[in-house]
């Protein structure tokens, strides 16, 4: 009987709300996801996860970002979003320092701030009560130092623990790729036969990463391997290897897993790909924003995992499920 009464009450509420004028309807929470850049499969996949959670929780999610991975293009987008006063912003800050003040403006406007993928400040530790960049509520991302360590071990194994390698990186100041390089170099110290050459910074440009590969190879004919710290760095290194006819001779360990990874791994152009879980970052980001907006405490740090892809497992549907989607 109680059930009937409860259902009746719920129905009455639904009907009442339905009769209210639009202005008096309960407002749907409005969350904006600002990626590092809009055209990167990593962030497109993150968006899908965020949209799934938004639909499930009955909130509105929009996706708005810049055309490249840079603070110069991201800050105006962020400012425009703040002016619209959403309830929460999920953002992958493109620079550890340059995004602190613009995000503080979001906080001051009463908007909840969560960072996904990258962090602001020096540590990625939020809500500590110290420092100028601890105000975001949560940091949802991979463990990027550990990812760099995984890459170092994989590359060392692929080259028989000896030879010259280098890191193809994006640009200094990005928390994720800085930490991947840091973890890689720390771990490589355990392999005395491996020498790590000077890092090449490619500005997230595949073509630049590819010509840098050619230049490093020209200076080091005995080059044994490359670690590409993100999707574009790794793709550029792989293209460089193909163009130079060095497939198999120079080993590539890649961060990230675009759809093209299947062919690159099968053909032996890339040995190992460390796939992140961006869909989960989007899902958790939305879930945490909604929880925080209803007054609940959320974890200040949530780590998403990795799936390591290689020739032996790339056809396994459970592994393939973690390839990024570019559309
Ligand atoms: O590797 C990801 C992301 O984690 C990084 O912060 C920037 O580059 C990617 O988006 C891949 O292109």
């Amino acid at each position: 009987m109680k059930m009937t009464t409860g259902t009746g009450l719920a129905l009455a509420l639904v009907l009442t709300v339905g009769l209210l004028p639009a202005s008096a309807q309960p407002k749907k929470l409005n969350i904006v996801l600002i990626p590092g850049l809009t055209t990167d499969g990593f962030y497109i996949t993150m968006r899908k996860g965020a949209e799934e959670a938004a639909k499930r929780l009955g909130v509105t999610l929009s996706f708005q970002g810049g055309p490249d991975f840079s603070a110069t293009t991201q800050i105006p987008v962020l400012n425009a979003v703040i002016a619209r006063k959403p309830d929460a912003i999920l953002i992958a800050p493109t620079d550890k320092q340059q995004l602190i003040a613009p995000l503080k403006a979001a906080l001051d406007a009463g908007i909840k701030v969560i960072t996904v993928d990258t962090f602001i400040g020096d540590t990625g530790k939020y809500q500590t009560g110290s420092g100028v960049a601890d105000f975001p509520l949560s940091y949802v991302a991979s463990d990027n130092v550990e990812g760099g360590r995984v890459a170092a071990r994989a590359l060392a194994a692929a080259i028989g623990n000896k030879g010259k390698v280098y890191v193809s990186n994006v640009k200094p100041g990005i928390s994720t790729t800085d930490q991947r390089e840091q973890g890689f170099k720390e771990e490589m110290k355990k392999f005395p036969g491996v020498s790590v050459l000077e890092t090449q910074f490619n500005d997230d440009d595949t073509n630049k990463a590819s010509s840098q590969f050619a230049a490093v190879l020209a200076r080091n004919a005995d080059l044994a391997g490359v670690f590409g710290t993100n999707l574009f760095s790794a793709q550029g290194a792989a293209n460089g290897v193909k163009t130079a006819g060095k497939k198999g001779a120079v080993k590539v360990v890649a961060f990230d897993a675009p759809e093209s990874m299947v062919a690159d791994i099968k053909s032996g152009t890339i040995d190992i790909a460390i796939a992140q879980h961006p869909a989960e970052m989007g899902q958790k980001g939305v879930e945490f924003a909604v929880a925080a907006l209803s007054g609940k405490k959320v974890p200040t740090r949530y780590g998403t995992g990795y799936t390591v892809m290689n020739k032996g497992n790339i056809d396994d549907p459970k592994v393939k499920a973690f390839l990024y989607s570019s559309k």
Side-chain angles (χ1 to χ4, degrees):
M1 279 304 110
K2 257 194 183 147
M3 283 289 284
T4 318
T5 315
T7 314
L9 181 65
L11 190 64
L13 277 173
V14 169
L15 289 174
T16 315
V17 169
L19 291 173
L20 290 173
S23 57
Q25 297 274 355
K27 200 181 137 268
K28 256 190 166 188
L29 293 175
N30 189 359
I31 301 173
V32 182
L33 169 60
I34 305 180
L37 73 162
T38 53
T39 53
D40 178 337
F42 173 83
Y43 294 113
I44 293 169
T45 308
M46 183 187 288
R47 173 188 188 167
K48 292 193 170 170
E51 280 171 347
E52 180 282 314
K55 199 166 165 212
R56 173 164 39 88
L57 299 173
V59 301
T60 303
L61 179 95
S62 36
F63 181 74
Q64 208 178 331
D68 52 19
F69 197 100
S70 99
T72 315
T73 52
Q74 191 179 44
I75 291 170
V77 172
L78 171 60
N79 291 340
V81 168
I82 294 172
R84 292 206 317 269
K85 291 206 187 318
D87 297 293
I89 291 177
L90 309 178
I91 183 168
T94 45
D95 186 278
K96 288 188 279 197
Q97 300 305 325
Q98 293 181 60
L99 267 295
I100 296 176
L103 279 172
K104 179 71 175 29
L107 178 80
D108 292 344
I111 301 166
K112 306 272 185 219
V113 177
I114 288 176
T115 78
V116 282
D117 178 40
T118 45
F119 61 76
I120 49 170
D122 297 321
T123 60
K125 293 199 173 94
Y126 296 152
Q127 301 292 311
T128 57
S130 68
V132 291
D134 85 314
F135 59 85
L137 295 174
S138 186
Y139 169 47
V140 181
S142 309
D143 178 339
N144 288 290
V145 177
E146 180 55 24
R149 290 185 187 282
V150 171
R153 291 195 287 269
L155 190 54
I159 64 173
N161 296 339
K162 59 174 189 298
K164 291 179 187 165
V165 303
Y166 78 93
V167 180
S168 178
N169 206 343
V170 181
K171 59 186 155 196
I174 305 170
S175 70
T176 45
T177 46
D178 283 358
Q179 288 194 326
R180 290 169 201 163
E181 178 173 346
Q182 178 200 329
F184 180 86
K185 287 185 166 165
E186 280 170 11
E187 190 69 11
M188 269 310 188
K189 290 197 183 121
K190 297 182 186 160
F191 301 92
V194 178
S195 60
V196 182
L197 304 172
E198 197 187 337
T199 296
Q200 303 295 304
F201 290 104
N202 56 52
D203 286 321
D204 226 20
D205 178 344
T206 305
N207 292 333
K208 199 163 167 184
S210 172
S211 33
Q212 285 171 339
F213 175 86
V216 175
L217 186 66
R219 293 194 295 271
N220 304 275
D222 55 347
L223 182 69
V226 189
F227 168 38
T229 64
N230 83 334
L231 194 154
F232 302 101
S233 310
Q235 249 171 6
N239 292 347
V241 166
K242 273 186 232 163
T243 309
K246 286 284 178 183
K247 204 169 73 184
V250 181
K251 307 290 185 185
V252 178
V253 169
F255 228 84
D256 295 312
E259 289 121 334
S260 57
M261 195 52 76
V262 177
D264 281 335
I265 284 183
K266 283 192 170 178
S267 70
T269 312
I270 291 180
D271 277 77
I272 284 193
I274 301 166
Q276 303 186 74
H277 295 174
E280 190 186 357
M281 291 178 204
Q283 277 166 351
K284 288 290 164 200
V286 169
E287 287 171 13
F288 289 177
V290 171
L293 285 162
S294 62
K296 296 196 183 98
K297 261 192 113 111
V298 295
T300 54
R301 170 79 175 104
Y302 183 91
T304 48
Y306 290 116
T307 298
V308 177
M309 303 177 170
N310 57 34
K311 232 180 203 162
N313 69 11
I314 193 68
D315 282 326
D316 179 345
K318 285 199 216 82
V319 170
K320 271 194 161 154
F322 289 100
L323 287 167
Y324 305 168
S325 120
S326 59
K327 283 181 230 95

